[in-house]
Amino acid sequence: MGRHSHRQILVFAFITYTILTLTTDIFDHSHPKKNIFKLEKLILREGEEIQLVAFQQRKTRIKEVCTAWGAYSTKAKFLRSGQKHTGDKLKDEIIRDKTDLSQSQLERIWQLNKRSTFHQMFVDQEHSLTWCKVPKAASTSWLHALLEVVRHPFERVLSAYRDKLEDYERDIKDRGGYYYAIYGKRIVKAYRKFTSDDENHTYSLRKEPTFREFVHYLLDTDVEEYDEHWRPVSLLCTPCHIRYDIIAKMETLSKDADFILYHRGLSSAVHMEWSHKTDQTKKTSDVAKTYFSQLTSNEVKQLYYKYIIDFLMFEYELEPYLKLTSTVSVKHSVSVDEDEKNDYYQEEEEEEEEDENDLNEEEGNDLEEENDDVEKTDANGNEYENEPENEYENQAAQETVDTLDNRAAGNGM
């Protein structure tokens, strides 16, 4: 190590030590330590024993999934493990999908399970609480209640699509058109097959991406490039490496909320108000059927592999969504390497002649330049100045722009 590198490390260590000293009370023993939240030491109310067991089981499940999918082992050991049946029904269920994935897919999952991040973490020092914000899982409502909430992965995907991409006018009104400019317009450009068929004429004129177009974008995009609203929870909150005391679920949200607020002495101080009120006249399954019926079972299974760790960690089922699809047959193995010709789904048209591709690429570049000219203006011609919510989202947005532009150029659009 060079002299300059050694000096830089020393300077960085000194700065870090100074920041910790000035911004925390870890060296101040004049104040009594706050009670540390530990489930096993809580004085439970009547009937809370069952709830406590559920919390413990959720934590145990996460650890088992992380272990089975390589979070604590070397890549070589993880790949060698394959799908070895242990005789334990629970453990065998956790690893059942390994044989459906190619080596490159397994390696990518192993890499992602090694990651840790505190980007979504929020801290309330006054009440000694830390929580992870999970967008599209009641997170906005919980910003004042301090609890992490997980949700069925496909419900999060659908909720994100409906909230951010389905309604252009709403996006213009609420966000200055940010999600249409960064995602919606480019998804349409990359995945829509325009047609003069009367039956599909309205669809072709639609400004926003359809749910199926959005799903195709997800299938063709690495999960680390996903916007935080549809990024897997296992990447947002990295529970393999952060030991959470409470994993709350949307299905038991009322009870979970009451538990954490009561035992932190916040029942009277915090009033829950839901920021995103869905149409209560329709059940989630009814809404899901409308959208997932646009997909084939094969596409749903492929989407499952994108969120496989979330499904396994938080014990959500795939089968109900497969039953909502337009086809019933499922291709059990959809192993696809990155360098394979057709990515995740087969293109319907044959490859064009080289000269025609060149012409289409030039036309695509012209369209891209025209879109860039109007990209920062809304429907009224006003300059669009909205910025992503944070630099993490900004990086993902830029990677998405590159991915979709390359896809559009490849399609000759």
Side-chain angles (χ1 to χ4, degrees):
M1 181 183 295
R3 180 181 302 174
H4 292 292
S5 298
H6 184 67
R7 183 180 302 169
Q8 289 173 349
I9 293 175
L10 291 177
V11 171
F12 178 78
F14 175 78
I15 293 174
T16 303
Y17 175 85
T18 303
I19 292 174
L20 286 172
T21 304
L22 294 177
T23 60
T24 70
D25 59 354
I26 59 176
F27 302 107
D28 184 1
H29 302 286
S30 60
H31 301 286
K33 292 184 178 179
K34 299 180 178 66
N35 292 330
I36 298 176
F37 186 87
K38 288 190 176 297
L39 291 175
E40 60 271 18
K41 294 185 178 181
L42 296 179
I43 300 176
L44 302 178
R45 294 173 291 179
E46 183 178 357
E48 285 190 332
E49 293 82 2
I50 296 177
Q51 195 171 4
L52 182 63
V53 171
F55 287 141
Q56 297 287 13
Q57 288 176 340
R58 292 173 191 175
K59 293 169 63 177
T60 300
R61 172 75 176 198
I62 288 175
K63 184 176 181 181
E64 290 176 342
V65 172
C66 293
T67 301
W69 287 84
Y72 313 126
S73 65
T74 63
K75 180 170 68 173
K77 183 177 180 180
F78 170 63
L79 295 177
R80 283 199 307 269
S81 65
Q83 189 183 27
K84 297 179 180 178
H85 291 283
T86 63
D88 185 310
K89 183 178 179 180
L90 178 61
K91 292 182 179 180
D92 289 343
E93 181 267 332
I94 289 175
I95 63 174
R96 69 176 181 226
D97 293 299
K98 277 189 177 182
T99 55
D100 287 346
L101 301 172
S102 67
Q103 179 167 320
S104 63
Q105 289 174 309
L106 290 172
E107 287 179 355
R108 185 59 179 146
I109 290 175
W110 176 84
Q111 291 172 348
L112 295 174
N113 286 340
K114 288 290 185 180
R115 307 286 171 84
S116 62
T117 179
F118 295 92
H119 189 273
Q120 298 293 116
M121 303 300 292
F122 291 79
V123 179
D124 174 20
Q125 293 183 339
E126 180 180 356
H127 300 99
S128 298
L129 288 168
T130 303
W131 79 103
C132 180
K133 176 188 174 186
V134 180
K136 309 317 300 176
S139 60
T140 306
S141 303
W142 277 105
L143 284 180
H144 303 288
L146 320 175
L147 185 64
E148 177 195 3
V149 183
V150 298
R151 187 180 187 183
H152 193 292
F154 285 175
E155 287 185 14
R156 279 191 66 224
V157 167
L158 180 54
S159 177
Y161 167 76
R162 297 181 70 197
D163 184 45
K164 306 299 182 186
L165 295 171
E166 186 177 42
D167 191 334
Y168 171 74
E169 296 299 331
R170 178 182 177 184
D171 190 38
I172 288 291
K173 178 181 177 181
D174 295 345
R175 296 173 287 268
Y178 170 74
Y179 276 90
Y180 176 74
I182 299 300
Y183 297 102
K185 180 175 65 176
R186 288 181 166 84
I187 290 174
V188 170
K189 182 179 179 181
Y191 294 97
R192 182 158 301 172
K193 297 182 183 299
F194 293 92
T195 176
S196 58
D197 185 7
D198 291 338
E199 182 179 351
N200 296 318
H201 182 64
T202 302
Y203 153 76
S204 298
L205 296 178
R206 176 189 172 98
K207 194 176 188 69
E208 305 91 344
T210 65
F211 182 62
R212 192 181 190 204
E213 290 167 343
F214 174 58
V215 168
H216 284 178
Y217 151 72
L218 293 177
L219 296 182
D220 282 350
T221 305
D222 188 276
V223 291
E224 277 200 307
E225 296 179 24
Y226 285 7
D227 178 89
E228 64 174 15
H229 291 87
W230 49 82
R231 184 172 298 168
V233 176
S234 54
L235 295 184
L236 286 173
C237 301
T238 56
C240 287
H241 307 288
I242 300 176
R243 297 180 181 179
Y244 295 97
D245 293 305
I246 299 286
I247 302 294
K249 303 183 77 170
M250 285 287 288
E251 296 79 8
T252 56
L253 188 53
S254 179
K255 290 184 179 180
D256 293 347
D258 176 68
F259 185 95
I260 186 67
L261 295 178
Y262 172 80
H263 287 288
R264 297 313 290 164
L266 296 172
S267 295
S268 60
V270 175
H271 175 64
M272 288 300 301
E273 292 183 0
W274 301 109
S275 299
H276 301 290
K277 296 179 187 255
T278 56
D279 184 358
Q280 297 301 318
T281 63
K282 287 188 175 183
K283 296 181 179 179
T284 299
S285 59
D286 296 331
V287 176
K289 183 176 182 179
T290 301
Y291 292 87
F292 278 82
S293 62
Q294 302 173 27
L295 308 177
T296 67
S297 55
N298 215 25
E299 290 165 338
V300 171
K301 192 68 180 287
Q302 293 165 21
L303 188 62
Y304 162 76
Y305 288 135
K306 290 288 187 176
Y307 294 89
I308 185 171
I309 300 301
D310 281 13
F311 271 91
L312 295 174
M313 275 186 177
F314 309 119
E315 297 185 89
Y316 286 111
E317 295 295 328
L318 168 65
E319 190 62 30
Y321 285 82
L322 285 174
K323 292 179 180 179
L324 301 178
T325 61
S326 57
T327 60
V328 295
S329 60
V330 179
K331 180 181 178 183
H332 294 286
S333 177
V334 292
S335 303
V336 182
D337 293 326
E338 292 182 358
D339 59 349
E340 288 184 0
K341 180 178 179 181
N342 291 318
D343 292 324
Y344 285 95
Y345 60 95
Q346 184 69 33
E347 295 292 338
E348 295 178 358
E349 299 178 354
E350 297 293 333
E351 185 178 4
E352 302 290 344
E353 296 296 329
E354 182 176 356
D355 57 344
E356 186 174 351
N357 278 338
D358 293 338
L359 177 60
N360 288 337
E361 184 175 355
E362 292 175 4
E363 292 174 352
N365 291 335
D366 291 339
L367 285 173
E368 182 178 349
E369 292 175 2
E370 292 175 7
N371 286 332
D372 289 339
D373 291 337
V374 300
E375 183 174 319
K376 295 188 177 181
T377 61
D378 61 20
N380 298 319
N382 299 320
E383 185 175 356
Y384 164 66
E385 298 179 348
N386 287 54
E387 295 294 334
E389 295 177 4
N390 51 58
E391 61 180 1
Y392 198 45
E393 183 177 345
N394 186 35
Q395 179 183 357
Q398 183 56 50
E399 291 171 345
T400 295
V401 169
D402 296 339
T403 299
L404 292 177
D405 284 351
N406 290 337
R407 174 76 185 180
N411 284 346
M413 294 183 63

